[in-house]
Amino acid sequence: MSELFSTLSLRDLEVPNRLAVSPMCQYSCEPDGLATEWHRVHLGSRAVGGAGIVMTEATAVEPRGRITPADLGIWSDEHAEALEPITEFVRSQGGVPAIQLAHAGHKASKTRPWEGNVPIRPEEDDEAWEVLSPSPSGYPPFDGDDPSIRRATHDDIEDVIDAYRTAAERSLSAGFEIAEVHAAHGYLLHEFLSPATNRREDEYGGSFENRTRLVREVTAAVREVWPDDKPVFVRISGTDWLDDRPSWDLEQSVRLAGELEELGADLIDVSSGGLHPDQNPSGGPNFQVPLAERIRAETGIAVGAVGGITEPEQADAIVRNGRADLALVGREFLRDPYFGLRAADELADEPESWPIQYRRAVE
């Protein structure tokens, strides 16, 4: 058996294989943020396709935490009810349903990517809103006019922590088995982590301890309401790829990972970048895997590797060689919903098989 199709035990949860669908925004909701049939088919087909973990796109914990008005949300019981049929179907196919809990911070209130991906302002668009930021002076120069920015007050910060806590409770009621805190890609928690965007001078800015305070408080709040037998993940950007200025880097990521483990996090989902348009990533296949590998080696916490994973042998090698515990696949699962089943075929794993309804096409 290949290592990719070995089980992964996290607390009392046993994941059937080491292949996960990475969170991928679909921008396919109405402004109410409710899951639609698109989400049910999109996520359900990847469960049919053999993924061990099927994770939602970034799911906003409050309305102002959406990237666009078309984002998925979980800020009410109605949102949880709309997601429940999805978790039921994913489980029925042998997969583990997971949700990424997110707040877009000052990258919120934008048009969808195919509509320009530019900020929209409340005075110009009824669907726009004022966005939160650790410090407006740290807002990077994206295309379009700057959004209407609100520097997060202490009350705002408490509201965000509470929103994550109640979103986790609703996620549990909707049937999710894994909750992931999104602290990467230039969204709110990452904006607080990085000195490139956090210019605060209070207890949430300046030192490493202060800049990491919010993600630690959010993780603790989620862990507080998430059952002891179920895992919590945290996605981070391992580095900002901004070597020419004070920024978030791998050394800080290693340190944070150890502290998150102490707070009850079970796996660090290691991506990178997304904070600033001046980023200069190395690129190429597996270019982010060394980030995950170093965090795993120096802390011992389980890690997920993501980015540019397109081939079964490549994903298997990442796990087999101890570079990561989980391979998160995004674009390849968009191109091929049955990537997991194809990987099992190519790696000659007996436990995986195509649904009986499809077998005549592959036998």
Side-chain angles (χ1 to χ4, degrees), residues 191-326:
E191 292 161 16
F192 272 84
L193 289 174
S194 178
T197 46
N198 186 343
R199 312 289 173 80
R200 299 176 74 97
E201 297 180 352
D202 61 4
E203 66 268 36
Y204 287 95
S207 67
F208 172 88
E209 180 182 5
N210 288 352
R211 286 183 286 107
T212 62
R213 188 181 306 277
L214 181 55
V215 70
R216 288 186 284 109
E217 290 177 339
V218 165
T219 301
V222 171
R223 183 74 269 175
E224 175 188 334
V225 299
W226 203 247
D228 288 341
D229 61 347
K230 298 182 188 297
V232 169
F233 293 4
V234 181
R235 171 168 275 198
I236 65 170
S237 283
T239 175
D240 288 340
W241 302 111
L242 293 170
D243 295 336
D244 62 343
R245 70 198 76 179
S247 59
W248 186 255
D249 57 26
L250 183 53
E251 286 70 26
Q252 294 173 88
S253 291
V254 170
R255 182 177 171 186
L256 176 62
E259 295 186 2
L260 293 175
E261 184 177 26
E262 291 178 2
L263 292 170
D266 300 285
L267 182 142
I268 306 299
D269 176 359
V270 188
S271 187
S272 68
L275 184 85
H276 199 285
D278 291 345
Q279 66 183 14
N280 185 30
S282 58
N286 287 356
F287 78 101
Q288 295 176 130
V289 174
L291 306 174
E293 184 177 21
R294 169 126 173 236
I295 290 171
R296 186 178 191 267
E298 295 196 20
T299 67
I301 192 171
V303 299
V306 63
I309 302 172
T310 61
E311 297 297 332
E313 288 188 359
Q314 175 192 11
D316 182 59
I318 290 169
V319 177
R320 185 176 65 251
N321 293 329
R323 307 187 73 187
D325 301 274
L326 189 67

Side-chain angles (χ1 to χ4, degrees), residues 146-164:
D146 285 353
S148 177
I149 293 180
R150 173 187 178 93
R151 179 187 181 274
T153 65
H154 285 79
D155 285 344
D156 289 324
I157 290 170
E158 287 301 317
D159 287 346
V160 167
I161 296 168
D162 287 342
Y164 270 95

Side-chain angles (χ1 to χ4, degrees), residues 46-199:
R46 275 77 196 169
V48 172
I53 296 173
V54 178
M55 191 173 294
T56 68
E57 63 197 78
T59 306
V61 298
E62 62 174 14
R64 63 183 173 178
R66 295 170 293 165
I67 305 167
T68 78
D71 281 18
L72 188 63
I74 189 161
W75 60 80
S76 78
D77 292 344
E78 188 179 5
H79 290 87
E81 291 166 5
L83 287 161
E84 192 169 356
I86 297 173
T87 64
E88 289 178 354
F89 185 79
V90 169
R91 255 194 311 276
S92 76
Q93 301 304 304
V96 175
I99 186 168
Q100 186 183 68
L101 302 175
H103 195 298
H106 65 218
K107 288 178 74 174
S109 194
K110 299 167 73 174
T111 60
R112 294 182 291 189
W114 52 86
E115 296 168 339
N117 198 37
V118 295
I120 51 177
R121 301 172 64 89
E123 61 268 26
E124 299 167 355
D125 192 315
D126 291 341
E127 293 183 351
W129 59 92
E130 185 180 53
V131 304
L132 279 184
S133 180
S135 44
S137 64
Y139 184 83
F142 294 104
D143 292 337
D145 295 333
D146 285 353
S148 177
I149 293 180
R150 173 187 178 93
R151 179 187 181 274
T153 65
H154 285 79
D155 285 344
D156 289 324
I157 290 170
E158 287 301 317
D159 287 346
V160 167
I161 296 168
D162 287 342
Y164 270 95
R165 182 185 292 108
T166 56
E169 291 174 325
R170 291 190 174 105
S171 299
L172 185 64
S173 70
F176 289 100
E177 301 287 336
I178 298 170
E180 176 169 276
V181 173
H182 193 0
H185 300 165
Y187 299 122
L188 185 65
L189 301 186
H190 186 188
E191 292 161 16
F192 272 84
L193 289 174
S194 178
T197 46
N198 186 343
R199 312 289 173 80

